[in-house]
Amino acid sequence: MTADQVRALVVAQYPGVLNSPLAQAMHGASSMALLESSELYEKSAKHFAERGLKVSGLELDLAQMMKHKDSVIATLDGGIQGLLKKNKVERITGHATLQGGGVVEITAAAGSAPSKISGRRILIATGSVPSVLPGIQLDGDRVGTSTEALCWPEVPRHLVVIGAGVIGLEMGTVWRRLGAKVTVLEFLPRILPGIDEQVATEAKKIFEVSNFIKICNDFKNKTLFEDVLLLDRASRNIGDKIIVDI
């Protein structure tokens, strides 16, 4: 391939390809699938009877719920593949290194000879990594991010969410509906930073009705993680799962 043949190159961590927010769209599709399923579960357990719909023997099959979520993602992924093919976009899998001058070197697999592609324009869409806070070590098990929370095989006994942003509240909502106790800790005196304040205020009222939100802005001179544990120890109930959403 030459610069004349390739007008643009996209260096991406799939599914970052096509446009940069696509990875977030995949993540969003996962959370939306779980939000819908958990809402149906909660309605079946608590609200259907109000409309004369009695459900007996209701059980949560979390493994099946996760399979459904994965099938939604597989369908979305297939659509992306079709879109790439339709628009004659060639996908090359490998490790890319920018060489300068519009040249990208690609190593397809360990030990294989690298190849080079040049293009007039290069778009870097490699996605993002979670933000971390001092004193918090993400271990992917007890302490993690929303990515891990989308795949837990069991419902946590007590989930602590650090940060009352959109994603944290989504994950907290999913697991609360499925039976977990959820505590959300937010450094700011409001939830949903960046969202219209009136909308955020109304949302906070809804969450407080379900005893879902715990706004916390009294962190002292300790690390945030120490404060989280101290706040939980005060209630003698330390969270068995903690996710960071900042």
Side-chain angles (χ1 to χ4, degrees):
M1 294 184 181
T2 67
D4 291 333
Q5 292 173 316
V6 180
R7 293 184 178 181
L9 294 173
V10 180
V11 179
Q13 179 179 345
Y14 188 79
V17 73
L18 271 191
N19 77 64
S20 304
L22 193 52
Q24 284 72 27
M26 286 286 201
H27 191 288
S30 296
S31 62
M32 288 303 296
L34 290 180
L35 279 167
E36 181 185 31
S37 295
S38 63
E39 181 182 22
L40 290 173
Y41 175 75
E42 184 179 52
K43 284 183 175 179
S44 299
K46 299 180 181 180
H47 303 297
F48 277 6
E50 299 172 1
R51 297 174 179 252
L53 302 173
K54 296 184 178 180
V55 180
S56 60
L58 180 67
E59 294 183 11
L60 172 63
D61 187 342
L62 186 57
Q64 180 58 40
M65 188 177 290
M66 291 298 175
K67 285 182 181 179
H68 173 263
K69 179 258 299 180
D70 292 340
S71 71
V72 171
I73 298 306
T75 300
L76 179 59
D77 182 73
I80 294 169
Q81 298 286 2
L83 191 59
L84 289 171
K85 185 177 181 179
K86 178 181 178 181
N87 288 277
K88 299 180 181 180
V89 177
E90 180 183 4
R91 177 186 172 194
I92 302 174
T93 302
H95 181 82
T97 305
L98 275 66
Q99 300 291 305
V103 177
V104 176
E105 183 179 86
I106 302 171
T107 304
S112 64
S115 59
K116 293 184 179 181
I117 300 177
S118 58
R120 297 175 184 174
R121 296 178 176 84
I122 299 175
L123 171 64
I124 301 175
T126 52
S128 60
V129 295
S131 298
V132 295
L133 295 169
I136 295 183
Q137 182 66 42
L138 303 179
D139 59 21
D141 181 21
R142 183 181 177 224
V143 184
T145 66
S146 57
T147 300
E148 289 79 24
L150 288 168
C151 304
W152 287 333
E154 298 178 352
V155 178
R157 175 182 54 84
H158 184 190
L159 168 62
V160 175
V161 181
I162 301 176
V166 173
I167 296 176
L169 293 177
E170 283 183 346
M171 290 296 92
T173 297
V174 166
W175 293 107
R176 181 194 62 79
R177 287 171 175 170
L178 298 180
K181 173 186 175 183
V182 178
T183 302
V184 178
L185 304 176
E186 172 57 59
F187 186 84
L188 299 175
R190 56 163 291 178
I191 67 171
L192 298 172
I195 302 296
D196 179 82
E197 187 171 358
Q198 185 175 358
V199 173
T201 299
E202 292 303 312
K204 180 173 177 287
K205 292 177 183 178
I206 294 173
F207 287 126
E208 285 179 333
V209 168
S210 62
N211 295 318
F212 175 57
I213 290 293
K214 178 178 182 179
I215 298 295
C216 207
N217 62 348
D218 59 349
F219 298 112
K220 308 301 181 184
N221 295 322
K222 306 178 182 65
T223 66
L224 179 58
F225 189 52
E226 286 174 341
D227 276 317
V228 169
L229 291 180
L230 286 172
L231 287 167
D232 256 357
R233 286 190 182 115
S235 63
R236 300 181 181 277
N237 194 10
I238 299 175
D240 54 325
K241 291 288 186 182
I242 299 173
I243 63 174
V244 181
D245 171 38
I246 59 171

